[in-house]
Amino acid sequence: MTDAHQSFLDLLHAQRVWDVELPGFDPAAAPPTPLPLFHRWFAEAVAAGQVEPHTMSLATTDGEGHPDVRTLMLHDVDERGWHFATHRTSAKGRQLAARPCAALGFYWPAQGRQVRVRGPVTECAPAESLADLHARSTGALASALTGSQSEVLGSLEELTRTADAAWERARAEPDAQVTSWTRYVVEAREVEFFQGDAARRHVRLRYRRQDAGWTRELLWP
């Protein structure tokens, strides 16, 4: 083992998790469906000072079945499912077109909590996708107008020129359309709520959709 590797391991092993007082979680008192519990946990994460609680990991698979993952923002959670948006022409957009299913992961260390979501993915109507884009910031519109997401970039200078032009257009045309921008919904079939415990007696509650309702079950940590 090299000195550099040993230094890395020493640093890695020195890290600690959940150096805060963790909340309790009584799964017997959980609601019959996952949506109200997610809304409550999200609000509690915000109240606990969790940084960027609206970010999540999105896992997809490509046409050959190889997994891929990235971090992006949650746009909504309603009776339809968990919403996010991206370019239909991006890597994840192409992967979702080939295999329309995904998994989401939220991690809120301020309270030792995770939420995992799995299910099929559907595209929203173009009008809803456009409204989603225009409800966001000028920077978000500029980023969408920059386009070419996941394509090979020739140089940072090219990015700067293109991004500057996109920002200028976003300010001048706040209603500009980006036809590739698409809002997606993960229609959850499974939702798991994980509450960490300092004694490693983690509580895991999984909701599984069956027919028109949900079943709940505890999982071993």
Side-chain angles (χ1 to χ4, degrees):
M1 182 183 299
T2 64
D3 290 343
H5 188 195
Q6 185 61 59
S7 295
F8 167 75
L9 286 179
D10 292 343
L11 182 62
L12 177 63
H13 295 159
Q15 305 310 303
R16 296 292 179 263
V17 295
W18 307 332
D19 286 337
V20 295
E21 183 176 350
L22 299 178
F25 174 44
D26 179 7
T33 62
L35 182 61
L37 184 56
F38 183 87
H39 284 164
R40 192 181 85 202
W41 274 27
F42 182 84
E44 290 174 356
V46 173
Q50 176 61 57
V51 176
E52 298 182 355
H54 59 313
T55 59
M56 61 187 183
S57 297
L58 167 69
T60 55
T61 53
D62 63 21
E64 297 179 349
H66 299 146
D68 203 353
V69 68
R70 73 288 288 166
T71 301
L72 71 170
M73 288 198 306
L74 177 69
H75 285 215
D76 194 6
V77 185
D78 59 18
E79 295 295 342
R80 290 184 294 168
W82 277 250
H83 299 233
F84 64 93
T86 188
H87 289 283
R88 190 168 52 253
T89 52
S90 68
K92 53 187 172 295
R94 296 193 301 270
Q95 290 167 3
L96 289 169
R99 294 173 177 258
C101 57
L104 305 175
F106 296 85
Y107 180 44
W108 298 320
Q111 293 193 301
R113 287 175 170 174
Q114 300 180 55
V115 181
R116 300 168 61 212
V117 181
R118 295 202 304 166
V121 178
T122 59
E123 291 187 16
C124 294
E128 186 175 2
S129 295
L130 185 61
D132 172 271
L133 178 60
H134 291 152
R136 303 179 68 208
S137 65
T138 301
L141 176 59
S143 179
L145 287 168
T146 299
S148 304
Q149 191 177 60
S150 304
E151 295 180 12
V152 175
L153 175 65
S155 67
L156 292 180
E157 290 75 18
E158 181 182 358
L159 172 61
T160 299
R161 289 194 304 271
T162 305
D164 286 349
W167 270 94
E168 183 176 347
R169 184 182 175 194
R171 294 189 184 99
E173 301 177 45
D175 295 327
Q177 296 193 26
V178 182
T179 57
S180 62
W181 187 257
T182 305
R183 182 156 169 158
Y184 295 89
V185 182
V186 180
E187 299 175 350
R189 293 296 179 264
E190 292 184 7
V191 184
E192 180 191 325
F193 293 84
F194 172 104
Q195 174 61 68
D197 178 82
R200 300 301 191 264
R201 294 187 293 265
H202 312 311
V203 179
R204 296 175 62 189
L205 175 65
R206 180 172 65 188
Y207 290 80
R208 288 192 298 119
R209 185 180 287 279
Q210 292 188 333
D211 299 324
W214 293 89
T215 61
R216 296 182 303 173
E217 54 199 0
L218 293 173
L219 303 175
W220 281 91

